Amino acid sequence: MGKLELVQTLTGHKGRVWSAAWHPTGKMFASCGEDKTIRVWTEADTDRWVTQTVLTDGHTRTIRDVAWSYCGHYLASASFDTTVAVWNKKSGEFECNATLEGHDNEVKSVTWSRSGSLLATCSRDKSVCIWEIHHAPVQEDEYECVAVLNGHTQDVKKVCWQPREDVLASASYDNTIRMYRQDVADGEWEMLEPLESHTSTVWSIGFDATGKRLASCSEDKTVKVWQQYRPDNTLGIVCLERGTVWKCVCTLAGYHTRSVYDIDWCKQTGLLVTACGDDMVRIFREGRDSDPNEPKFELVVAVPAHSRDTNKVAWHPTIPGVLLTASDDSEIKVWKYVDEE
């Protein structure tokens, strides 16, 4: 078992805090919310997190998500005003250098590919958009929408790139997860078979460090772990002509009492953390002798993290055990997980 120790409570946002994202170095993070602002936080000399910058001029409605590029030079924000803003510090201060318009309704999520050349967004308009980035060292970067993917039948809640290749996953109100990849022959983006097992809205998804596993969380109060199988697998699992298949290999049920809104897989430790509508944060660990094709996870800690819905959980990218949470209660909290075994 373990314990989750509160390090610091951060205030400043007014209304719900929807999302928070670590900079790749872990030396700063960004948060966003109902107040239409983005806050960039840095660690002061006292080891306390403080607001470095408040970005107020990018959006006209709630900001639902923020994401840093892997190079750390760009910050993207997704808003209910139907746009995505891209920020950088080429001038020395954060400035919005591009506004992406393509969705017809609220934009719910934004994510950068590992290669840095692609950006993905999703929306209440049921679509997933993929944007190609043309970097220009002197002039402003250009963003081109190269694909509009309409595989979902309802609001798309989350998009997430596989960490080792340009394969995209999306989660939706239609209870399914979709995968997308680019056809090497013609460059067109194709949709793979949907991942179906949840019985209600899939709120969020997250890959493990290898990209061969995906965790999902849902309105149905469960967490599911999906495993990728290639044609050369030794279990006899049939793969279609598109090369790989994803199978649900584990369902964590009975732990959450309300909707599970977010999930994150720690790339250093393999710990899974969830954010729930019962205000709780829960951490799960895979058993040491777990069969990768039938994994077993145990609950190692559950704490009442906030006074209202917990919306976001995010593990620190370089320091094992450090965790961010964000909530409807207007607060962001920094935690430290300590393994007591």
Side-chain angles (χ1 to χ4, degrees):
M1 301 298 287
K3 62 181 180 179
L4 196 59
E5 301 174 342
L6 179 62
V7 176
Q8 189 179 352
T9 299
L10 306 174
T11 58
H13 281 289
K14 297 178 181 178
R16 291 181 176 93
V17 186
W18 279 117
S19 187
W22 292 103
H23 188 272
T25 63
K27 295 179 180 179
M28 68 175 77
F29 66 87
S31 61
C32 65
E34 195 173 26
D35 62 8
K36 311 172 196 172
T37 71
I38 299 167
R39 286 180 173 261
V40 179
W41 306 78
T42 56
E43 202 167 14
D45 295 338
T46 57
D47 293 331
R48 306 291 287 176
W49 292 93
V50 297
T51 301
Q52 178 196 54
T53 306
V54 181
L55 307 176
T56 60
D57 58 352
H59 295 287
T60 58
R61 292 185 62 194
T62 291
I63 304 175
R64 186 63 176 83
D65 196 21
V66 283
W68 295 93
S69 62
Y70 280 92
C71 68
H73 298 317
Y74 300 89
L75 176 67
S77 54
S79 172
F80 286 2
D81 66 11
T82 76
T83 72
V84 172
V86 181
W87 310 76
N88 65 32
K89 291 183 71 175
K90 287 184 177 181
S91 67
E93 301 291 336
F94 280 101
E95 291 184 351
C96 179
N97 78 323
T99 299
L100 311 185
E101 299 176 341
H103 288 290
D104 297 326
N105 211 320
E106 299 169 354
V107 187
K108 297 297 183 71
S109 179
V110 59
T111 179
W112 299 84
S113 68
R114 171 69 73 173
S115 66
S117 61
L118 298 168
L119 189 71
T121 58
C122 66
S123 169
R124 193 175 179 179
D125 66 12
K126 309 175 188 177
S127 75
V128 171
C129 289
I130 296 178
W131 308 79
E132 195 170 89
I133 305 149
H134 304 284
H135 292 293
V138 179
Q139 299 176 334
E140 296 293 348
D141 301 324
E142 294 184 1
Y143 295 79
E144 177 188 3
C145 183
V146 295
V148 178
L149 305 166
N150 294 299
H152 288 291
T153 59
Q154 297 290 337
D155 184 354
V156 190
K157 301 293 188 182
K158 182 77 173 183
V159 280
C160 181
W161 288 102
Q162 200 170 8
R164 296 182 180 271
E165 53 185 310
D166 286 344
V167 173
L168 182 69
S170 62
S172 172
Y173 193 80
D174 66 11
N175 309 349
T176 72
I177 300 162
R178 283 272 183 179
M179 295 280 190
Y180 315 86
R181 71 179 181 196
Q182 195 169 22
D183 189 298
V184 293
D186 59 14
E188 295 295 314
W189 285 86
E190 59 181 358
M191 290 182 289
L192 309 184
E193 294 300 312
L195 281 59
E196 299 175 320
S197 183
H198 284 292
T199 58
S200 191
T201 301
V202 186
W203 282 103
S204 189
I205 46 179
F207 287 99
D208 73 351
T210 70
K212 297 177 181 178
R213 276 181 169 180
L214 180 77
S216 58
C217 61
S218 169
E219 185 84 13
D220 65 16
K221 306 175 189 176
T222 72
V223 168
K224 292 181 183 287
V225 176
W226 307 79
Q227 176 75 37
Q228 182 187 42
Y229 293 95
R230 297 189 180 277
D232 59 355
N233 74 85
T234 59
L235 300 178
I237 295 173
V238 177
C239 296
L240 301 177
E241 70 278 1
R242 291 179 177 177
T244 64
V245 65
W246 290 82
K247 295 287 187 183
C248 180
V249 293
C250 178
T251 298
L252 301 175
Y255 296 101
H256 301 88
T257 62
R258 292 187 63 189
S259 303
V260 191
Y261 289 129
D262 197 27
I263 192 162
D264 194 28
W265 212 319
C266 183
K267 303 302 187 287
Q268 287 84 30
T269 65
L271 293 171
L272 273 175
V273 63
T274 60
C276 188
D278 61 10
D279 314 338
M280 302 279 286
V281 166
R282 294 171 176 85
I283 297 175
F284 299 87
R285 179 175 59 200
E286 187 172 2
R288 288 186 177 88
D289 300 322
S290 180
D291 180 346
N293 299 299
E294 295 181 2
K296 305 294 183 185
F297 288 81
E298 60 179 342
L299 178 67
V300 294
V301 68
V303 298
H306 291 275
S307 60
R308 295 181 64 189
D309 293 4
T310 306
N311 296 319
K312 181 69 179 182
V313 282
W315 289 111
H316 194 284
T318 62
I319 304 174
V322 174
L323 178 71
L324 275 179
T325 63
S327 168
D328 278 4
D329 65 11
S330 306
E331 294 181 345
I332 300 161
K333 293 186 178 182
V334 183
W335 306 81
K336 175 68 176 177
Y337 171 76
V338 179
D339 195 335
E340 294 186 318
E341 285 192 0

